[in-house]
């Protein structure tokens, strides 16, 4: 089997091993498996039955991982994206009045548009039109976002009615488990101990038992009878209505630019920029399939960075993660036993690694540095990758024009900035 895996994924060529890919796939899975329950809950707000949403999420993650593994040979995890699922439910369904069946049709069509872009020269043209400083800023912003999520999961940062956020209770068992696990994981990481993140998660889970914060919680039995009405349940009844096409193009714009930024960040972290094209294509196909399977579009997850940092270099990592997603349907009670305090340190460390890309941004040139700064600041503070990208992309041509440097901005960048500006203004006219 290992020989077959070597031939299929070229493990030696990418300086990795079968064991390392297995561990990386598991690490990636553990950091992102929360999406199963969270995404299903958000889809449920749109009217999709909870258990059907769980199955749709798992199947989408599984098929997306297979596409990424065998088409792109990249360790990138594809799951229904946070933020985009909220766009699906609260904007398309609740604000624009589409039924969830019509919204799934919009997902499918936007995925087809994404596929046309990904499988033609348009993807390269779009990628070349985006300035390097903005690409690097997206990676840094996502790193801070990941750190913020980790700090929240670990209880180190909590909501505060006066200051929005504040330091959590460092004497609470949850935070103590997070801090001890972070120290252990950091020591293992800086000493390059094989499987450092996996060991850290195991230590954090053990500490969770000792401090009494783990609630085994009984997953009970699940019935997926409702999924029959959700699978291929998309409806094109609103295809001639303006709201349908506004919804479709809004989705398309978001998934195209968010994933270009995310995949650029992941392939840069891998040191394998040649995998950008096929990874984007796998992502595009997965996004279209999402509408058929019954969920919001997939994205290349920020948690992918955890698997890459754990040593994942090939599609075998994605294959392992996808397979674990499928198996998770029978292991949900076990997965729930892993406390957030065991996962948070991994996210925090990965955020620190992604922050290193800031040194590639020319901060001495304010017309390059300020738009990058907006992306870096707004992504974590708004809890939205899309909004952060939008502000940076709009600011970039404006500053260049103000300085008389319009020729430094590719013509297509003006169009992209205009589209993002329209997207930001849509709530005003909604």
């Amino acid at each position: 089997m290992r020989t077959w895996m070597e031939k299929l994924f070229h493990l030696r060529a990418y300086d990795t091993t079968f064991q390392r890919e297995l561990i990386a796939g598991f690490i990636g899975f553990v950091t992102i498996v929360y999406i199963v329950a969270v995404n299903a809950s958000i889809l449920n707000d749109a009217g999709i039955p909870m258990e059907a949403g769980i199955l749709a999420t798992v199947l989408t993650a599984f098929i997306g991982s297979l596409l990424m593994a065998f088409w792109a040979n990249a360790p990138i995890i594809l799951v229904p994206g946070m933020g985009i699922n909220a766009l699906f439910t609260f904007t398309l369904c609740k604000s624009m009045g589409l039924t969830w069946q019509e919204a799934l049709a919009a997902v499918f069509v936007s995925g087809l548009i994404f596929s046309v872009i990904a499988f033609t020269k348009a993807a390269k043209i779009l990628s070349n039109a985006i300035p390097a400083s903005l690409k690097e800023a997206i990676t840094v912003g996502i790193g801070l976002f990941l750190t913020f999520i980790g700090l929240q999961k670990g209880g180190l940062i909590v909501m505060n009615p006066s200051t929005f956020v504040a330091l959590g209770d460092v004497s609470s068992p949850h935070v103590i488990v997070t801090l001890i696990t972070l120290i252990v994981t950091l020591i293992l990481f800086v000493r390059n101990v094989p499987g450092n993140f996996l060991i850290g998660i195991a230590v954090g889970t053990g500490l969770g038992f000792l401090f009494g914060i783990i609630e085994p919680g009984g997953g009970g039995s699940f019935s997926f009878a409702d999924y029959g009405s959700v699978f291929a349940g998309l409806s094109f009844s609103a295809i001639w209505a303006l709201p349908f096409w506004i919804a479709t193009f809004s989705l398309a714009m978001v998934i195209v630019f968010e994933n270009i930024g995310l995949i650029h960040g992941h392939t840069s972290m891998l040191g394998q920029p040649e995998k950008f094209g096929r990874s984007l294509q796998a992502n595009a196909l997965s996004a279209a399939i999402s509408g058929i399977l019954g969920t919001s579009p997939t994205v290349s997850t920020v948690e992918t960075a955890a698997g890459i940092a754990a040593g994942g270099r090939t599609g075998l990592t994605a294959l392992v993660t996808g397979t674990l997603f499928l198996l998770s349907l029978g292991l949900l009670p076990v997965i729930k036993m892993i406390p957030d305090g065991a996962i948070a340190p991994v996210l925090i460390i990965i955020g620190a690694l992604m922050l290193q890309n800031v040194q590639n941004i020319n901060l001495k040139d304010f017309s390059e540095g300020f738009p990058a700064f907006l992306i870096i600041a707004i992504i974590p503070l708004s809890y939205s990758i899309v909004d952060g990208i939008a502000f940076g992309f709009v600011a970039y041509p404006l500053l260049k024009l103000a300085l008389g440097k319009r020729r430094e901005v590719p013509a297509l960048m003006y169009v992209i900035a205009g589209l993002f500006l329209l997207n930001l203004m849509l709530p005003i006219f909604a």
Side-chain angles (χ1 to χ4, degrees), residues 34-387:
Y34 69 85
I35 196 68
V36 175
V38 175
N39 189 59
S41 176
I42 293 175
L43 294 177
N44 186 242
D45 288 336
I48 295 176
M50 185 70 179
E51 292 175 346
I54 288 174
L55 187 54
T57 303
V58 167
L59 290 177
T60 302
F62 174 65
I63 292 175
S65 295
L66 291 185
L67 285 169
M68 193 60 73
F70 295 112
W71 180 250
N73 192 21
I76 296 174
I77 305 170
L78 297 178
V79 301
M82 290 298 295
I84 294 181
N85 51 14
L87 177 67
F88 175 91
T89 293
F90 301 108
T91 301
L92 272 61
C93 294
K94 292 189 177 292
S95 295
M96 301 181 71
L98 298 180
T99 65
W100 62 261
Q101 293 92 338
E102 293 165 346
L104 288 177
V107 170
F108 176 69
V109 176
S110 66
L112 292 181
I113 295 171
F114 186 9
S115 297
V116 170
I117 292 171
F119 280 89
T120 62
K121 293 181 178 179
K124 186 175 182 180
I125 293 171
L126 280 172
S127 183
N128 290 338
I130 301 173
S133 61
L134 300 188
K135 291 179 182 176
E136 300 293 351
I138 292 170
T139 301
V140 176
I142 292 170
L144 288 177
F145 187 33
L146 202 58
T147 299
F148 191 35
I149 293 171
L151 292 170
Q152 287 180 307
K153 279 183 173 290
L156 287 164
I157 294 295
V158 296
M159 292 180 62
N160 183 288
S162 300
T163 60
F164 293 106
V165 293
L167 183 67
D169 180 6
V170 295
S171 65
S172 72
H174 182 194
V175 175
I176 291 172
V177 168
T178 300
L179 290 173
I180 296 175
T181 306
L182 177 59
I183 292 169
V184 171
T185 308
L186 271 174
I187 293 171
L188 294 170
F189 180 77
V190 297
R191 294 183 65 86
N192 293 316
V193 175
N196 42 49
F197 288 150
L198 180 58
I199 296 171
I201 290 171
V203 169
T205 303
L207 289 170
F209 276 112
L210 291 176
F211 282 84
I213 65 171
I214 290 181
E215 297 179 3
S221 60
F222 289 88
S223 171
F224 297 115
D226 288 331
Y227 188 61
S229 63
V230 174
F231 176 74
L234 59 176
S235 169
F236 292 94
S237 59
I239 195 168
W240 302 115
L242 181 61
F244 177 86
W245 288 105
I246 292 175
T248 297
F249 284 112
S250 295
L251 270 176
M253 185 167 63
V254 169
I255 61 177
V256 167
F257 289 108
E258 180 169 342
N259 282 302
I260 283 178
L262 285 163
I263 291 176
H264 173 268
H266 294 323
T267 53
S268 295
M269 189 177 181
L270 275 170
Q272 299 172 9
E274 71 278 2
K275 290 187 177 180
F276 174 84
R278 284 199 165 225
S279 296
L280 193 69
Q281 291 167 2
N283 199 159
L285 292 173
S286 176
I289 293 171
S290 299
I292 298 173
L293 294 177
T295 181
S296 50
T298 52
V299 300
S300 168
T301 67
V302 292
E303 288 85 356
T304 288
I308 294 174
R313 292 293 178 271
T314 73
L316 180 54
T317 294
L319 178 60
V320 170
T321 302
T323 302
L324 288 172
F325 261 110
L326 200 58
L327 294 174
S328 71
L329 289 174
L331 297 173
L332 284 178
V334 177
I335 294 166
K336 290 177 182 177
M337 290 173 61
I338 301 174
D340 283 344
I343 297 171
V346 176
L347 302 179
I348 294 168
I349 294 171
I350 297 310
L353 291 173
M354 297 179 75
L355 185 65
Q356 295 174 10
N357 287 57
V358 75
Q359 61 191 328
N360 300 325
I361 302 172
N362 182 12
L363 297 173
K364 293 181 179 179
D365 182 344
F366 198 72
S367 65
E368 295 283 337
F370 186 72
F373 162 74
L374 285 178
I375 292 175
I376 293 168
I378 293 175
I379 284 179
L381 294 179
S382 68
Y383 223 78
S384 170
I385 296 170
V386 176
D387 290 341

